[in-house]
Amino acid sequence: MKPLNEYKKIVILTGAGISAESGISTFRDSQGLWEQHKIEDVATPEAFEKDPLLVWKFYSMRRLQAAKAKPNLAHLALIQFAKAHPDVHLITQNVDALHLRADTTHSLPPICMHGSLHESSCSNCGIVYLDDYAYFNELGDYAPQETELCDSTQRSHQHYLHHYNLEYRNFIPLSPCCKVMIRPHIVWFGEMPQHMEKIYHQISHCDLFVSIGTSGVVYPAASFLAGAKAAGAHTVCLNKEPIPQAAFIDEFIEGSATDIVPRFFRI
Ligand code: APR
């Protein structure tokens, strides 16, 4: 592999594994989120239709967990690298906002293809609001509280949900715009991920593609390594264990993200 500064356009894809050492549950490791909750009960449009209270309890718990977490050495290493390289793009499947919170200098704005825990949207018109409220505590009791997922500058944002202004119906917050249920701004199973055109453009024009901390089992993200390889990029996978896309990986580096990511991106 060439020295990193000899690559013109670098695209990085991250998954839950980059946040694991910050204390954020992954999905498919043992004790992962999908061992504790059925996807169909908390992460589909049908689940929200059927039991919005359960869905909001699940996402309130994840908001509280994300707010307590801090960006780790792997998140910070990507920001440091982006400051020293002119053309780096970050695509993340994660919704925990840790890449955003690591990036105090706005050097590597993430493309959040699965949405974000610190946003909610109107289930009628789709307007996206900054929203750092957990509507339920970790025991599932109704206890709206700020989670600090948004900093003060964001709270002055035009579309920030000021909790004290909200109306509720059966404990579910209603959108100021349409007075219908607000939903977590998360891409659920069966929904199209966001920013796909931009993502495919970046992947088809990169000469280095690095996959970090993803199991490579959820599409379309699971197809990105093959796409980058087909575009002629050198492909690298940094992960705690091998993933199914071995045929499209030029280099596999096994280990924990806070160890292997800073080493790989050392400038
Ligand atoms: N360092 C490096 N890799 C790690 C670490 C760590 N500390 N901890 C876990 N991993 C690896 C695991 O081995 C696994 O391969 O990270 C990967 C996490 O895989 P998943 O839990 O499946 O998470 P992810 O790939 O991000 O899931 C993709 O699935 O459920 C949906 O929308 C959800 O965005 C998510 C998507």
Side-chain angles (χ1 to χ4, degrees):
M1 161 168 191
K2 299 186 294 191
L4 287 181
N5 59 12
E6 289 184 17
Y7 290 96
K8 287 188 179 43
K9 186 187 194 66
I10 300 174
V11 172
I12 300 165
L13 169 70
T14 61
I18 199 171
S19 296
E21 290 159 271
S22 292
I24 303 271
S25 311
T26 62
F27 294 93
R28 296 170 184 85
D29 287 327
S30 62
Q31 307 300 317
L33 278 173
W34 298 145
E35 275 191 5
Q36 301 159 41
H37 304 271
K38 281 205 215 126
I39 287 174
E40 55 273 22
D41 291 346
V42 291
T44 64
E46 297 74 18
F48 188 65
E49 197 63 39
K50 181 175 159 229
D51 190 346
L53 217 48
L54 175 63
V55 172
W56 265 118
K57 287 180 181 178
F58 177 66
Y59 283 98
S60 288
M61 175 272 288
R62 292 188 62 195
R63 267 189 186 164
L64 288 166
Q65 191 187 60
K68 278 189 207 134
K70 298 265 177 293
N72 63 47
L73 293 175
H75 298 105
L76 297 169
L78 299 187
I79 306 300
Q80 287 312 315
F81 176 70
K83 286 179 184 169
H85 190 289
D87 198 355
V88 186
H89 303 269
L90 173 62
I91 302 162
T92 187
Q93 301 171 89
N94 297 343
V95 296
D96 58 35
L98 287 181
H99 284 304
L100 269 176
R101 288 167 58 198
D103 190 12
T104 50
T105 53
H106 307 291
S107 309
L108 188 60
I111 301 174
C112 300
M113 64 184 288
H114 289 164
S116 175
L117 280 173
H118 80 322
E119 291 174 336
S120 297
S121 55
C122 172
S123 53
N124 176 53
C125 70
I127 283 190
V128 178
Y129 294 91
L130 288 173
D131 180 10
D132 55 0
Y133 282 96
Y135 295 94
F136 297 87
N137 63 22
E138 279 159 334
L139 301 173
D141 299 333
Y142 176 63
Q145 53 186 302
E146 278 182 2
T147 64
E148 306 296 325
L149 270 176
C150 296
D151 62 32
S152 50
T153 53
Q154 290 174 303
R155 291 201 177 123
S156 55
H157 186 282
Q158 185 203 349
H159 287 308
Y160 174 74
L161 274 192
H162 292 282
H163 174 54
Y164 47 80
N165 270 349
L166 280 187
E167 291 176 47
Y168 289 75
R169 193 177 301 135
N170 307 323
F171 298 108
I172 304 298
L174 302 182
S175 58
C177 48
C178 302
K179 300 294 178 211
V180 298
M181 288 193 296
I182 289 177
R183 57 167 278 180
H185 187 54
I186 299 289
V187 177
W188 284 327
F189 286 88
E191 295 182 322
M192 178 50 82
Q194 297 166 10
H195 315 299
M196 289 310 296
E197 201 177 316
K198 185 175 175 185
I199 287 172
Y200 285 129
H201 174 80
Q202 302 297 6
I203 290 171
S204 54
H205 292 86
C206 71
D207 56 353
L208 176 62
F209 183 87
V210 186
S211 168
I212 304 173
T214 180
S215 59
V217 298
V218 175
Y219 285 80
S223 68
F224 293 173
L225 268 162
K229 191 82 196 126
H234 184 75
T235 56
V236 181
C237 175
L238 307 179
N239 203 50
K240 203 172 66 171
E241 60 197 354
I243 66 173
Q245 287 78 1
F248 305 110
I249 296 171
D250 293 317
E251 275 186 80
F252 174 69
I253 301 172
E254 189 160 345
S256 291
T258 56
D259 174 29
I260 58 179
V261 174
R263 266 198 284 131
F264 181 81
F265 284 100
R266 78 193 166 291
I267 298 114

